[in-house]
Amino acid sequence: MLQNELENVLIERFLSKFSLSGEDERAVLEGAVLKSFKKDETIYTKDGCQGYAILACGRMRGFVSTSNFKEITVFSLSRGDSCMLCAFCSFGALQVEINLQIEEDTQMILIPKKLFKRLRESYPQVANHALELVAGRFSAAINVMEQALFMPLAQRIINFLEQNGACRGLKITHEQIANHLGSAREAVSRVLKEMQKQGRIEQKRGVVTLK
């Protein structure tokens, strides 16, 4: 059983979206478990679907690995966000393996796979919601990989800084940016240095500010 505060998160972020029977609502409230992860842990999902997760607190990133062992961030999750903990986001013959890295100490509410599978099979609205989640992750993965192949690194860095609020200043290292983009730190440092010369960014005390 979850504590009352976490039950409220589960009700708000999951149960309130669907018209489940009273019996199934109780099954979710009684069956959901709390999982805790430390910063820098990685959740490898190669063992198949682990269930439906809701972040109660913390932050994590979903990433794919390239053929040269680089990692590219395809999405980020923070408090209140939901995720299917599955090995693959797939459509037909296309499969994208996505794993999760913990960026801050994180707690997630997990509806176990057996229970969630029963809900998907019993309620079309739950099945549609799960499909929308998978479709969104798959689309994000494909978009990011297309950018990695065809978009100049400078523009990818600009996009990353914009998406992460660097207009107000973002505390981040060149190594972390490189890890998010699946690039080499040296290449990222070179581009950031050139962008600073052009007046497009400012770097001071480990903070990058996009102008």
Side-chain angles (χ1 to χ4, degrees), residues 145-170:
M145 288 189 288
E146 285 181 345
Q147 290 184 18
L149 288 172
F150 303 114
M151 184 177 290
L153 180 58
Q155 186 59 52
R156 292 173 60 208
I157 291 175
I158 289 291
N159 290 349
F160 174 81
L161 294 176
E162 287 178 343
Q163 293 165 6
N164 288 273
C167 293
R168 301 182 301 274
L170 176 65

Side-chain angles (χ1 to χ4, degrees), residues 11-167:
I11 292 170
E12 177 187 352
R13 304 304 300 180
F14 184 79
L15 291 177
S16 65
K17 296 180 179 180
F18 312 110
S19 300
L20 306 187
S21 68
E23 180 182 355
D24 284 332
E25 284 194 359
R26 287 192 296 274
V28 171
L29 290 171
E30 294 173 2
V33 295
L34 184 65
K35 297 284 188 179
S36 298
F37 301 91
K38 294 294 185 182
K39 181 180 178 181
D40 295 329
E41 281 190 64
T42 300
I43 302 174
Y44 294 104
T45 55
K46 62 183 179 181
D47 296 327
C49 183
Q50 299 178 37
Y52 181 96
I54 304 168
L55 263 68
C57 63
R59 182 177 175 85
M60 62 175 66
R61 71 180 182 107
F63 67 89
V64 294
S65 299
T66 66
S67 58
N68 60 348
F69 305 105
K70 294 290 185 180
E71 296 174 357
I72 304 179
T73 299
V74 292
F75 61 83
S76 294
L77 299 173
S78 55
R79 185 182 184 279
D81 289 336
S82 303
C83 184
M84 293 281 293
L85 294 186
C86 294
F88 293 95
C89 288
S90 61
F91 285 84
L94 292 175
Q95 290 188 325
V96 179
E97 184 174 359
I98 299 178
N99 294 303
L100 300 167
Q101 183 180 43
I102 308 302
E103 296 188 305
E104 298 174 1
D105 288 355
T106 293
Q107 288 187 319
M108 68 169 63
I109 300 168
L110 183 67
I111 301 175
K113 62 180 181 182
K114 185 176 181 180
L115 173 56
F116 189 67
K117 181 176 183 291
R118 179 165 66 81
L119 295 175
R120 289 204 321 267
E121 293 172 346
S122 301
Y123 300 94
Q125 55 191 166
V126 176
N128 289 338
H129 174 66
L131 183 60
E132 288 174 1
L133 276 181
V134 173
R137 303 308 182 213
F138 181 83
S139 177
I142 295 300
N143 181 58
V144 166
M145 288 189 288
E146 285 181 345
Q147 290 184 18
L149 288 172
F150 303 114
M151 184 177 290
L153 180 58
Q155 186 59 52
R156 292 173 60 208
I157 291 175
I158 289 291
N159 290 349
F160 174 81
L161 294 176
E162 287 178 343
Q163 293 165 6
N164 288 273
C167 293

